[in-house]
């Protein structure tokens, strides 16, 4: 896979910088609790049931989410859209009932310890 | 290359409906080996994302300003590892630059902990990153990424130079090697367990 950042690429032009505003239709960022980098997202419907009044970017996101679960960060990575833009688009798709989210675990001490043990066991099993 | 909306099956989280996503940060100064480390562990080709430089609470409307300052972007890269049927681990890497506040808040929020990659030949470059990690209240371990020919330092000297606590783990690591990188992560996770125990008492 080619690196996502091309050091030779010139600074973005003004026209490109305006694009995110257009894509998001000027909507503002959803609050931090709704989408973290690792919130898992998936489409609720299959392709055939999709309404066509969604924007091309929303359609693309939805198609991408139809194959299974992806984190918000992965969606931004695959689409190469800025994270803020991805969050805004996802928020509107959630509102429309087209996608659903699995938030990261609530941070309780006990849950943390269970998870740490699971991570440790998993790393050992894979690389030990 | 920009991926189309149709991804390969392996791109998806294997058991997303049941898995809890967790994350660990892999941080360190410029060119210390973060991307190499993440690539060694990750089951997907590492991805990167750019974050638009808006401050917390600021509306994305401000993006319409074509002023370079509010629209500068910065890359963070990340990878994924399926841990079990119940847990999927994400590794996020970024250079420690304080000015990227929103990105650091996004990365640090809810993180289990951080692995700080350190090049023993450029110790001073690590101060800012360690400060930042401490500022966000994250527990961390140090992975000394020994580049060929770099001086072998005594652990004690390193601890003093970086002003580390006595119990902060220091582990040697070759970020190009999968097992070596995993061993550094394991050291971190064991330390995080100790910390979780202490907090409970
Ligand atoms: N000898 C040696 N070389 C390494 C090691 N880890 C990384 N490198 C090399 O160091 C260079 C920089 O590594 P990267 O993984 O790109 O470093 P980075 O921290 O992601 O760099 P930035 O994202 O630019 O801050 C690459 O050429 C790697 O091959 C290591 O453990 N030993
Ligand atoms: Mg890198």
């Amino acid at each position: 896979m080619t690196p996502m950042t091309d050091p030779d690429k010139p600074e973005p032009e003004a026209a490109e910088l305006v694009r995110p505003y257009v894509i998001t239709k000027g909507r503002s960022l959803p609050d931090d609790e709704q989408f973290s980098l690792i919130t898992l997202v998936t489409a609720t419907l299959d392709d055939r049931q999709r309404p066509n009044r969604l924007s091309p970017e929303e359609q693309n996101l939805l198609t991408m989410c139809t194959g299974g679960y992806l984190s918000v960060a992965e969606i931004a990575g695959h689409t190469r859209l800025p994270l803020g833009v991805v969050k805004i688009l996802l928020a509107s798709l959630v509102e429309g009932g087209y996608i659903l989210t699995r938030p990261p675990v609530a941070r309780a001490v006990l849950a943390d310890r269970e998870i740490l043990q699971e991570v440790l066991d998993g790393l050992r099993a894979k690389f030990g | 290359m920009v991926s189309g909306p149709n991804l390969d099956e392996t791109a998806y989280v294997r058991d997303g409906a049941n898995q809890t996503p967790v994350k660990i940060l892999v941080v360190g100064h410029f060119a210390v080996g973060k991307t190499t480390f993440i690539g060694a562990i990750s089951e997907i080709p590492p991805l990167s994302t750019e974050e638009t430089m808006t401050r917390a609470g600021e509306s994305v409307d401000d993006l319409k300003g074509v002023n370079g300052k509010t629209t500068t972007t910065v890359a963070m890269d990340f990878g994924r590892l399926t841990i079990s049927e119940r847990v999927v681990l994400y590794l996020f890497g970024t250079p420690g630059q304080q000015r990227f506040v929103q990105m650091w808040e996004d990365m640090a929020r809810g993180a289990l902990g951080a692995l700080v990659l350190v090049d023993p030949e450029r110790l001073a470059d690590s101060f800012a990153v360690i400060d930042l990690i401490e500022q966000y209240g994250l527990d961390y371990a140090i992975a000394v990424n020994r580049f060929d020919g770099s001086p072998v330092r005594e652990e004690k000297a390193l601890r003093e130079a970086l002003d580390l606590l006595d119990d902060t783990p220091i582990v040697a690591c070759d970020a190009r090697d999968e097992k070596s990188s995993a061993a550094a992560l394991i050291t971190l996770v064991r330390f995080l367990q100790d910390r979780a125990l202490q907090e409970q008492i």
Side-chain angles (χ1 to χ4, degrees), chain A residues 2 4 26 32 38 60 63-64 69-71 73-74 77 82-83 87 102 105 107 113 117-118 120 126-127, chain B residues 1 5 11-13 16-17 19-21 48 50 52 61 78 80 82-84 86 90 106 109 178 193 200:
Chain A
T2 46
M4 289 299 185
D32 285 343
I38 58 174
N60 274 353
T63 303
M64 190 173 280
Y69 280 87
L70 289 170
S71 65
E74 283 169 298
L83 261 171
K87 289 181 186 178
R102 270 186 56 83
V105 68
R107 306 258 308 166
R113 286 181 53 201
Q117 188 62 49
E118 195 124 346
L120 187 61
K126 275 182 208 317
F127 302 104
Chain B
M1 225 25 258
Y12 294 96
V13 180
Q19 281 168 317
T20 297
S48 71
E50 292 174 350
T52 312
D61 289 11
F78 57 96
R80 186 184 80 204
T82 299
I83 290 291
S84 68
R86 298 199 302 171
Y90 287 92
D106 275 0
R109 193 182 319 112
E178 175 187 277
Q193 281 187 311
Q200 210 188 24

Side-chain angles (χ1 to χ4, degrees), chain B residues 29-36 145-148 174-176:
Chain B
H29 61 69
F30 179 70
V32 74
K34 301 175 294 291
T35 303
T36 307
N145 205 6
R146 275 206 59 225
F147 286 79
D148 308 314
D174 183 334
R176 296 163 303 176

Side-chain angles (χ1 to χ4, degrees), chain A residues 14-27:
Chain A
E16 266 183 70
L17 294 174
V18 183
R19 229 179 118 240
Y21 177 73
V22 177
I23 296 174
T24 62
K25 301 170 190 157
R27 290 174 295 220

Side-chain angles (χ1 to χ4, degrees), chain A residues 101-118:
Chain A
T101 65
R102 270 186 56 83
V105 68
R107 306 258 308 166
V109 175
L110 187 66
D112 264 10
R113 286 181 53 201
E114 279 171 2
I115 280 174
L116 288 171
Q117 188 62 49
E118 195 124 346

Side-chain angles (χ1 to χ4, degrees), chain A residues 1-6 9 11-21 24-33 35-42 47 59-85 87-88 102-107 109-110 112-128, chain B residues 1-7 9 11-24 40-41 43-52 54-68 71-73 75-76 78 80-90 92 102-103 105-107 109-112 178-179 182-183 185-187 189-190 192-193 196-197 199-200:
Chain A
M1 170 165 254
T2 46
M4 289 299 185
T5 342
D6 182 355
K9 204 173 73 179
E11 285 298 301
E13 295 296 320
E16 266 183 70
L17 294 174
V18 183
R19 229 179 118 240
Y21 177 73
T24 62
K25 301 170 190 157
R27 290 174 295 220
S28 54
L29 271 172
D31 82 59
D32 285 343
E33 303 306 316
F35 297 108
S36 78
L37 290 172
I38 58 174
T39 299
L40 298 180
V41 169
T42 195
D47 280 351
Q59 296 276 5
N60 274 353
L61 238 65
L62 208 44
T63 303
M64 190 173 280
C65 293
T66 305
Y69 280 87
L70 289 170
S71 65
V72 171
E74 283 169 298
I75 293 170
H78 288 304
T79 58
R80 304 196 66 186
L81 290 170
L83 261 171
V85 172
K87 289 181 186 178
I88 289 168
R102 270 186 56 83
V105 68
R107 306 258 308 166
V109 175
L110 187 66
D112 264 10
R113 286 181 53 201
E114 279 171 2
I115 280 174
L116 288 171
Q117 188 62 49
E118 195 124 346
V119 171
L120 187 61
D121 293 344
L123 287 172
R124 281 181 172 146
K126 275 182 208 317
F127 302 104
Chain B
M1 225 25 258
V2 180
S3 316
N6 295 300
L7 297 176
E9 193 186 318
Y12 294 96
V13 180
R14 242 173 271 170
D15 200 9
N18 301 309
Q19 281 168 317
T20 297
V22 296
K23 68 182 162 181
I24 287 177
I41 299 283
E43 69 196 10
I44 55 167
L47 289 166
S48 71
T49 134
E50 292 174 350
E51 178 127 24
T52 312
T54 49
R55 283 175 294 278
E58 206 169 321
S59 151
V60 176
D61 289 11
D62 298 328
L63 283 175
K64 66 176 175 275
V66 262
N67 169 335
T71 53
T72 312
T73 55
M76 66 174 142
F78 57 96
R80 186 184 80 204
L81 181 67
T82 299
I83 290 291
S84 68
E85 285 165 11
R86 298 199 302 171
V87 179
V88 56
L89 172 66
Y90 287 92
F92 283 92
Q102 177 66 51
M103 187 184 70
E105 281 176 3
D106 275 0
M107 293 217 320
R109 193 182 319 112
L112 296 177
E178 175 187 277
K179 279 207 169 21
L185 264 188
I186 287 171
T187 302
V189 175
R190 292 198 53 188
L192 297 175
Q193 281 187 311
L197 266 175
E199 273 166 35
Q200 210 188 24

Side-chain angles (χ1 to χ4, degrees), chain B residues 116-190:
Chain B
V116 182
L117 299 190
V118 165
D119 177 348
E121 248 184 323
R122 293 188 292 161
L123 279 187
D125 292 347
S126 296
F127 296 157
V129 184
I130 294 177
D131 279 352
L132 213 44
I133 286 290
E134 288 179 348
Q135 189 183 314
Y136 281 95
L138 292 170
D139 291 322
Y140 62 93
I142 303 288
V144 181
N145 205 6
R146 275 206 59 225
F147 286 79
D148 308 314
S150 65
V152 184
R153 280 213 189 212
E154 293 283 342
E155 188 189 306
K156 189 161 167 285
L158 201 70
R159 198 174 289 284
E160 264 166 34
L162 292 176
D163 195 19
L164 303 177
L165 297 175
D166 288 344
D167 65 349
T168 302
I170 299 179
V171 61
C173 159
D174 183 334
R176 296 163 303 176
D177 182 73
E178 175 187 277
K179 279 207 169 21
S180 175
S181 296
L185 264 188
I186 287 171
T187 302
L188 169 66
V189 175
R190 292 198 53 188

